[in-house]
Amino acid sequence: MARRLAASLEAAEQAKCRVKGPALTICIDLTQQTAWAVRDGAVVWGPTVVRTGMRGGYQTPTGTYEIFRRAKREWSVPYKVWLPYWQAFNGGIGFHETTTYIHDGSLGSHGCVNLLHADAVALWSTAGVGTTVKVFGNRPGT
């Protein structure tokens, strides 16, 4: 985990997010399974570990998106669970807290970016509707 976080702070890794300008951008590195936020070229949140979509058609899609909906507590109809600190950025895919063990590489989400409680709260305080989200890389095993 420490190696993944350290790698996310390297200039070459940061450049993969291709952030330009003063707007807040959240970067999701599927390869490292990390996330961070950048404003004016400086990291303002993270990096932190995340869990993203698993194989079997649940991969988190790469691309550039915007947060378009937020709810402190959202109900997932298909999975019948609460999604604390929900921030949607691509259809039914978004950021949310998970209460399950996040560090097991064999587990994954159904496409969402799962965060530990403190990270979900911090991201909620940092981001908002309209925040750019850049997802890049490839989750190992997917």
Side-chain angles (χ1 to χ4, degrees), residues 88-113:
F89 61 82
N90 179 9
I93 295 175
F95 300 100
H96 64 84
E97 174 186 344
T98 184
T99 57
T100 60
Y101 188 66
I102 200 169
H103 304 296
D104 184 338
S106 67
L107 299 176
S109 72
H110 291 101
C112 288
V113 178

Side-chain angles (χ1 to χ4, degrees), residues 51-61 76 78-81 83 86 90 92-94 96 98 107-114 139:
R51 180 175 58 200
T52 61
M54 60 188 161
R55 70 178 131 227
Y58 298 109
Q59 293 88 339
T60 304
S76 170
Y79 303 111
K80 297 178 177 33
V81 296
L83 307 173
W86 171 248
N90 179 9
I93 295 175
H96 64 84
T98 184
L107 299 176
S109 72
H110 291 101
C112 288
V113 178
N114 296 166
R139 180 181 168 159

Side-chain angles (χ1 to χ4, degrees), residues 11-128:
E13 197 67 19
Q14 295 273 319
K16 292 177 184 176
C17 193
R18 296 183 191 99
V19 175
K20 295 182 190 227
L24 180 69
T25 300
I26 301 169
C27 304
I28 308 298
D29 184 340
L30 298 175
T31 306
Q32 297 295 330
Q33 291 290 283
T34 56
W36 63 91
V38 177
R39 178 180 285 133
D40 286 327
V43 175
V44 296
W45 172 79
T48 189
V49 293
V50 297
R51 180 175 58 200
T52 61
M54 60 188 161
R55 70 178 131 227
Y58 298 109
Q59 293 88 339
T60 304
T62 59
T64 301
Y65 309 96
E66 283 188 3
I67 294 174
F68 65 87
R69 186 168 185 285
R70 293 171 20 117
K72 280 217 173 167
R73 195 170 155 200
E74 179 80 8
W75 179 251
S76 170
V77 172
Y79 303 111
K80 297 178 177 33
V81 296
W82 286 107
L83 307 173
Y85 300 98
W86 171 248
Q87 298 188 78
F89 61 82
N90 179 9
I93 295 175
F95 300 100
H96 64 84
E97 174 186 344
T98 184
T99 57
T100 60
Y101 188 66
I102 200 169
H103 304 296
D104 184 338
S106 67
L107 299 176
S109 72
H110 291 101
C112 288
V113 178
N114 296 166
L115 301 159
L116 296 172
H117 173 75
D119 295 325
V121 170
L123 183 60
W124 178 269
S125 297
T126 302

